[in-house]
Amino acid sequence: MTRTLVVRLDSTGDVLLAGPAVRAVAASSAYVAMLCGPQGAAAAEILPGVDRTIVWEAPWVGFDPPPLDPDDVRAVVGDLARLRFDRAVVLTSFHQSPLPTALLLRLAGVAAIAADCEDYPGSLVDLRHRRAPGRHEAEAALDLTRAAGFPLPPHDDGRLRVLPPPDLRHLTGPDPYVVVHPGAAVPARATGPAVLAAAVRALAGSGRRVVVTGGPAEKELTAEVAGAHALDLGGRTDLRALSAVLAAADAVVAGNTGPAHLAAAVGTPVVSLFSPVVPAERWRPFGVPHLLLGRQDAPCAASRARVCPVEGHPCLDTLTGAQIAAAVDRLTSGVPGPGGQFPPARPSTRKVSS
């Protein structure tokens, strides 16, 4: 059995989507560590199969990467070398290069490195895998680990998963409820607060209890969206606590952001308010019933823009609160709608036990 390092250096959602690949590695390894950036560390801590999380902010990843610091590079190389990894799997998105990371791992003495790589890797990568076109991020990561000799065990369905969440009914109140998560890592992927506040009113008007979630920096946003019609939990949950809030929900309304993937990891259906700046086939909620809302043919499609390049943010801000509430109704009743995808459901384990 080997000591294996799995690398995913970017955001919370990216690390959550790596979860099935991590479990595949763990099934054939004696010890698994995950090297991730500060934005993904909390997600790595709740992934099954991870024995240790190593946090390092790489200068080639993220929206505002730090400058290259030779002393910092030497320190992380030393830390990795002391852990004596036999093999490493470098997970990246389709537009990222694994080669800077592979160089780091070679300096740390890792003998066998696998990565999806379009560029010529020289001697930096031992298994140069080619990513299949159109694969979802979670599937592409599994393709790579399988090629590297780490298949999923037969009993594993390959869906997203996190460690069992705590019982937070003292915070959320009783079931049932719907979660609305208005925030996103970049503005281009966020639906306007006026639209989401209208959705909260429509959901509450139909008799649903609504919980609004967000991080510490999003308290003003969550207060605006919740208004007088929803429970505002803005800034009151870390990632593990958020997993509990999402696990007990009937459905989650969120953009293409980490909490949408966390909802999938706890088995909760998602109404995905999806901006087409990145392809939905790669980033839509994985392995749970979900509906995509938003104009996928908007002029911003495939632009990877962080700030909407089109006046009025038409891909998302033309939605209405009534449309979002109707999507929640369709999703929770099992009736698919346009743009929806209802994969076969596994037996539900998402409700917090009494």
Side-chain angles (χ1 to χ4, degrees):
M1 298 285 276
T2 57
R3 292 174 61 85
T4 310
L5 178 69
V6 180
V7 182
R8 184 78 214 209
L9 289 169
D10 28 24
S11 70
T12 294
D14 300 305
V15 172
L16 291 170
L17 290 173
V22 169
R23 297 198 308 272
V25 168
S28 300
S29 300
Y31 178 88
V32 176
M34 193 161 193
L35 175 64
C36 57
Q39 298 302 315
E45 294 286 351
I46 59 174
L47 287 184
V50 176
D51 296 303
R52 178 171 181 167
T53 302
I54 305 163
V55 183
W56 185 62
E57 190 170 14
W60 54 85
V61 178
F63 301 138
D64 186 23
L68 178 66
D69 181 342
D71 290 336
D72 188 41
V73 171
R74 281 190 284 268
V76 73
V77 166
D79 290 342
L80 295 173
R82 282 187 287 274
L83 289 169
R84 301 173 64 88
F85 292 107
D86 303 296
R87 304 183 72 177
V89 178
V90 182
L91 302 178
T92 55
S93 296
F94 70 99
H95 59 275
Q96 296 171 328
S97 171
L99 297 182
T101 303
L103 175 60
L104 198 79
L105 301 180
R106 278 287 188 251
L107 293 172
V110 179
I113 300 170
D116 283 327
C117 191
E118 293 299 321
D119 300 320
Y120 173 63
S123 62
L124 296 181
V125 173
D126 300 284
L127 174 64
R128 181 192 185 187
H129 186 257
R130 300 298 181 95
R131 181 180 178 132
R135 295 290 273 170
H136 193 281
E137 291 293 308
E139 294 171 324
L142 277 172
D143 291 344
L144 173 58
T145 53
R146 187 180 303 111
F150 298 109
L152 272 173
H155 64 272
D156 195 319
D157 62 12
R159 300 191 187 191
L160 306 190
R161 195 179 303 160
V162 292
L163 297 175
D167 185 342
L168 286 188
R169 281 175 294 184
H170 67 280
L171 184 64
T172 63
D175 303 343
Y177 57 83
V178 172
V179 168
V180 174
H181 187 89
V186 295
R189 301 181 194 176
T191 304
V195 173
L196 291 173
V200 167
R201 292 193 297 272
L203 288 164
S206 68
R208 293 187 182 274
R209 200 161 70 85
V210 184
V211 175
V212 178
T213 58
E218 298 171 327
K219 290 181 180 179
E220 290 186 9
L221 173 62
T222 60
E224 180 180 355
V225 170
H229 303 278
L231 173 64
D232 179 10
L233 293 184
R236 298 176 64 186
T237 55
D238 59 13
L239 197 68
R240 186 164 183 266
L242 181 60
S243 74
V245 175
L246 301 180
D250 284 346
V252 173
V253 177
N256 176 24
T257 191
H261 301 304
L262 185 59
V266 295
T268 301
V270 181
V271 173
S272 178
L273 310 180
F274 200 98
S275 168
V277 291
V278 294
E281 66 182 1
R282 293 183 173 126
W283 296 102
R284 67 196 303 159
F286 184 75
V288 292
H290 63 276
L291 285 169
L292 290 185
L293 296 186
R295 284 183 48 193
Q296 299 306 296
D297 62 347
C300 64
S303 66
R304 287 175 37 207
R306 297 176 186 173
V307 177
C308 181
V310 183
E311 184 176 357
H313 204 198
C315 66
L316 293 177
D317 285 356
T318 53
L319 292 170
T320 67
Q323 287 175 318
I324 295 172
V328 171
D329 288 341
R330 289 200 304 273
L331 190 61
T332 55
S333 65
V335 179
Q341 178 176 328
F342 285 8
R346 69 183 187 274
S348 176
T349 58
R350 63 187 180 83
K351 291 296 179 184
V352 178
S353 60
S354 56

